[in-house]
Amino acid sequence: MAFAAAPSPIPSRTQYVLEAIKHAILTGQLPPGKPLVETELAARYGVSKTPVREALKTLAGTGLVVMSQYKGATVRTVDAAMAREVYDVRLLLEPEALRRTVTRRASLDAAHQALADADAAADRAERSLANREFHRALYLPCGNPLLARMLDEVRDQAALVSTVAWSAQPSWRQEADEHREILSLARAGDAEGAARALRVHIASFVERAFPEDAQ
């Protein structure tokens, strides 16, 4: 998918470029390890180098881009070790956040909508981001803003891991079924059951995605 030059005026050129680069990364147009040259990206998106530079800094902060003094910016490489780091954080924090969300009887309407968005997704990027929105809708109302922010910090990295894994083994249908089970338990008020199902869902992903590296 080629992006046309940025329309003018737009609310934020940096935001436009950030979303465009993120989409290109999550669809594989900019694959892991790909150098991100400011002049090339500026020409690609019809902007100056300044918003590209700011967008790359933001993406580095979310873990999609790696900045090196010698190599410049590159798309982050995904391997089993990186995936396990990201999913270990999620495994430690996310089931507890969901348990608290259900215990508080918080609304789960946003999670239901995210499932519908994932089903209607046009490509891997949209599906991956919709899946992340589903998970975020489960943990965001947990009642602890710090816990939610900690999980937010690994959202994009989790999306990158899932997108790379899906390119080798498209398992999103199985994951969608697991999401429906988790949401069903949560809506029924079964906090422990929902947390347990979410824990199994997270723990099994890397083993499915990287079977040769499973421990």
Side-chain angles (χ1 to χ4, degrees):
M1 176 179 177
F3 281 84
S8 184
I10 58 176
S12 168
R13 289 182 180 274
T14 298
Q15 185 65 28
Y16 165 81
V17 173
L18 189 154
E19 294 300 330
I21 295 174
K22 178 187 291 189
H23 189 276
I25 291 173
L26 294 179
T27 53
Q29 296 176 59
L30 295 173
K34 171 77 173 178
L36 299 170
V37 182
E38 290 180 9
T39 53
E40 294 178 359
L41 292 171
R44 177 173 181 166
Y45 300 121
V47 297
S48 68
K49 290 197 298 182
T50 299
V52 172
R53 186 176 304 118
E54 293 304 313
L56 291 178
K57 288 179 182 177
T58 300
L59 291 169
T62 66
L64 286 185
V65 169
V66 175
M67 306 287 282
S68 168
Q69 181 179 355
Y70 304 103
K71 296 182 179 179
T74 57
V75 179
R76 183 167 186 176
T77 300
V78 174
D79 57 19
M82 178 269 195
R84 289 180 185 281
E85 287 178 4
V86 172
Y87 276 73
D88 188 43
V89 172
R90 293 185 60 200
L91 188 61
L92 289 170
L93 301 180
E94 207 166 318
E96 173 61 19
L98 173 57
R99 189 188 67 78
R100 295 185 181 198
T101 293
V102 177
T103 300
R104 297 178 72 238
R105 300 183 183 278
S107 172
L108 294 167
D109 290 348
H112 180 75
Q113 181 59 53
L115 283 185
D117 292 343
D119 288 340
D123 56 38
R124 288 201 308 267
E126 288 185 12
R127 185 176 295 109
S128 182
L129 293 174
N131 282 348
R132 294 309 311 134
E133 285 303 318
F134 169 77
H135 282 272
R136 189 170 193 260
L138 297 181
Y139 67 68
L140 193 62
C142 69
N144 185 326
L146 178 58
L147 177 56
R149 285 198 299 272
M150 292 171 71
L151 285 164
D152 270 350
E153 288 184 3
V154 298
R155 285 179 75 221
D156 285 349
Q157 295 175 64
L160 179 60
V161 170
S162 64
T163 301
V164 169
W166 288 345
S167 66
Q169 181 183 345
S171 60
W172 60 77
R173 290 183 181 86
Q174 177 178 345
E175 289 154 38
D177 289 340
E178 293 170 0
H179 286 172
R180 291 186 180 90
E181 178 189 4
I182 293 164
L183 182 57
S184 177
L185 290 166
R187 283 188 147 178
D190 185 353
E192 298 302 330
R196 185 164 51 249
L198 179 58
R199 187 174 294 109
V200 171
H201 170 69
I202 295 171
S204 64
F205 177 82
V206 175
E207 280 67 29
R208 289 200 305 264
F210 299 92
E212 71 278 9
D213 296 299
Q215 296 176 345

